[in-house]
Amino acid sequence: GIFVTSGRSMVASSRSYADFTPEKVDLHRLEEGPPLTATLTREEGLKYYRTMQTIRRMELKADQLYKQKIIRGFCHLYDGQEACAVGIEGGITLSDHLITAYRAHGYTLTRGGTVREIMAELTGRRGGIAKGKGGSMHMYTKNFYGGNGIVGAQVPLGAGVALACKYLGNDQLCVSLYGDGAANQGQIFETYNMSSLWKLPIIFICENNQYGMGTSVERSSASTEYYKRGDYIPGLRVDGMDVLCVREATKFAADHCRSGKGPILMELQTYRYHGHSMSDPGVSYRTREEIQEVRSKSDPISMLKDRMLSNNMASIEELKEIDIAVRKEIEDAAQFATTDPEPPLDDLCSHIFANDQPFEVRAATPWTKLTSTS
Amino acid sequence: LNENHFLSCLVEFSKTSPAAVQVNVRDALNQAMDEELERDEKVFLLGEEVAQYDGAYKVSRGLWKKYGDKRIIDTPITEMGFAGIAVGAAFAGLRPICEFMTWNFSMQAIDQVINSAAKTYYMSAGAQPVPIVFRGPNGSSAGVAAQHSQCFAAWYGHCPGLKVVSPWNSEDARGLLKAAIRDNNPVVFLENELMYGVPFDLSEEVMHKDFVLPIGKAKVERQGTHITLVSHSRCVGFCLDAAAVLAKEGVECEVVNLRTIRPLDVETIEASVMKTGHLVTVEGGWPQYGVGAEICARIMEGPAFNYLDAPAVRVTGVDIPMPYAKILEDHSVPQIKDIIFTVKKVLNM
């Protein structure tokens, strides 16, 4: 959400704008990349800060609830990668489209979902964003197509959405995300081919967090230069821990698509603090020292906070107020998520078919009659 | 001419009705797609060779000339990719017809059909409908051997979230394809290559541009009193041929054309079995865990069981990969004599 400051405790000489120089950008088949300077306004900074902090706190709360066995099944947490989701959204609009894999809670939020309905979906309640029918990996909002459980499958789906954008002539594009683990999937290369042939308005984004489950990139990929794997597709690689880098790269990529040039590929170098999922402690295939080092040197939220403070774009108290507000939002959401009732049994068979008359569904035994409604 | 061909001609000839036009199954499918492409701009066709080649089996002949590159799209030979693209296009509001050159190749893309298409409306609690048709020839052909001859009715018929349709004649093909394209849900449309060239008479009513058949309703093709034959696709024709032969011996078969595999029209089958007291299912696919197995199980569990005077029996493809040599292939699929033999066994003749 957008945070409105009351103006309290501001440093006297605060500036509204600041120029930052992003880290280097690696280019593939591109003469030039995104601009080397980015402008961050105070409002943008506060918005990005709040959204990233919300994702962070939401994921940590999910961790807690999972350990209390209130969330069950698969739970793939996004803490560490917040700058990717927030930066990408900063480079596109809500009329554009986005699809990702199963590490999707952050995107569900940036794409318009609320913390309440996300958490209630994790706890499997009727107030969940998918009414408890989907769970962690299957959350949807307008122009956000999940949340997809099968590694790699979301990429051709995203190209299909892009095809629809081109077909309908609406100047929209589709961002199609996948991880370093998925990057070797055959169907992704099939999608590179068709997207290029047909000049689809698609931005392929590889969130390279260094590990596909327990397999490091060196052990899974003959080439770890994921931004080059599109071969004939132009690519760029940027620091995925820096929300401004991500935003500028996304803006650049979006311009490329909207000018009719076809697909483009972005690799975001990022990191996840948690293991692959809640059942993975995340330390059998990497060291605690490595995790700690990333936390202390490259945390996306700290990086933005330091920038804003050192450029007098916000005060410590202001940011603390945001933290408190976020904490409260998460607590309220968790409260809802743990007290909202589970879906009614009537809902068991609903939503099989759209726009259909109700029909009978076979239950576990032939004598029980269940009904499906659209 | 062999006996089967002669009998087929007899059956066709007896169907002529006034104000009828002869249309083969291929043309029925072609016309159905043409009309639906014209009716709704969001409908488009993609698949291998559907455009400039006019379709590997010529089912999409003339469509590219008429509608152009935007709406008739030739894809590379990458089923998993283009099936996923088709489903994604459906997510975003288009109405794709995704052709598999044969359903055998759908195995490369089956994850997109099941996990991306079939399950999404449910997982999203109704937020994301998937209005897509997957179509192509299914089952055995002639001399195409094991990898190109499998029937997928049971595989796709197993899955909630899919509608699975298996037309027999031109009326079925036309009405069911139009219904499938207009349906807002994923439909698996199983055609049959050997039926493409077979002509049938179609009435004026059937030729109307808004003629649709209901998905999920079987049709009684032939009334009978002694035994019920339930079948789908090409085997319906064999059942009718067998019925013609059996009629000469005083056995009147009721032939039920399923038209839809999923949802299965159990009521029509039950009503027939309650009338005749005997049931034989006939399919081209393999026996284990097949369409016939499902029908028999449902009849056992329902009111029709008490009307059975003999156990229900299945006639199926032979439980082997399809061989190549003609004599072997002929003995791998249900023949008319197998149906006649089974009927007589069930009736204790």
Side-chain angles (χ1 to χ4, degrees), chain A residues 130 133-134 138 140 145 150 153 156-157 160-161 164 167 187 190 193-194 198 348 350-356 362 374, chain B residues 41 43 70-71 74 76 78 80-82 84-85 88-89 92 111-112 121-125 128 161 163 184-185 301:
Chain A
K133 302 290 269 293
H138 307 295
Y140 302 78
Y145 307 90
I150 307 296
L157 293 174
V161 173
Y167 190 106
Q187 59 187 317
E190 295 184 11
N193 182 43
M194 285 182 275
W198 302 335
L348 181 68
S350 59
H351 311 122
I352 299 279
F353 292 132
N355 307 119
D356 263 18
R362 191 191 165 86
S374 286
Chain B
E41 283 177 347
V43 176
K70 177 178 169 178
R71 305 194 60 203
D74 276 336
T78 51
M80 197 166 183
F82 72 69
I85 283 177
D111 176 67
Q112 297 289 1
Y121 192 68
Y122 187 87
M123 293 191 294
S124 68
Q128 180 61 72
K163 299 189 184 182
N184 288 325
N185 296 289
E301 291 176 341

Side-chain angles (χ1 to χ4, degrees), chain B residues 108-130:
Chain B
Q108 309 237 299
I110 196 165
D111 176 67
Q112 297 289 1
V113 178
I114 307 298
N115 280 320
S116 302
K119 296 177 185 173
T120 292
Y121 192 68
Y122 187 87
M123 293 191 294
S124 68
Q128 180 61 72
V130 191

Side-chain angles (χ1 to χ4, degrees), chain A residues 213-225:
Chain A
M213 205 155 162
T215 307
S216 67
V217 293
E218 301 79 43
R219 296 202 305 124
S220 75
S221 308
S223 162
T224 56
E225 295 183 302

Side-chain angles (χ1 to χ4, degrees), chain A residues 204-250:
Chain A
F204 294 101
I205 301 187
C206 177
E207 277 181 293
N208 178 2
N209 62 15
Q210 302 300 314
Y211 298 93
M213 205 155 162
T215 307
S216 67
V217 293
E218 301 79 43
R219 296 202 305 124
S220 75
S221 308
S223 162
T224 56
E225 295 183 302
Y226 297 106
Y227 71 110
K228 291 186 183 171
R229 297 288 290 279
D231 187 7
Y232 37 78
I233 296 180
L236 59 157
R237 177 172 63 187
V238 300
D239 180 1
M241 304 304 263
D242 184 335
V243 68
L244 283 185
C245 285
V246 177
R247 183 187 79 181
E248 292 308 307
T250 306

Side-chain angles (χ1 to χ4, degrees), chain A residues 16-37:
Chain A
S16 299
Y17 298 94
D19 291 343
F20 302 101
T21 304
E23 308 269 319
K24 71 177 176 85
V25 177
D26 296 306
L27 300 176
H28 170 69
R29 288 186 187 272
L30 283 167
E31 289 300 308
E32 43 177 41
L36 290 177
T37 60

Side-chain angles (χ1 to χ4, degrees), chain A residues 190-206:
Chain A
E190 295 184 11
T191 309
Y192 290 157
N193 182 43
M194 285 182 275
S195 305
S196 298
L197 274 179
W198 302 335
K199 290 202 155 32
L200 301 182
I202 178 170
I203 305 175
F204 294 101
I205 301 187
C206 177

Side-chain angles (χ1 to χ4, degrees), chain A residues 91 173 203 248-261:
Chain A
L173 53 81
I203 305 175
E248 292 308 307
T250 306
K251 277 188 180 163
F252 174 81
D255 284 340
H256 176 102
C257 279
R258 279 191 239 278
S259 62
K261 297 196 184 114

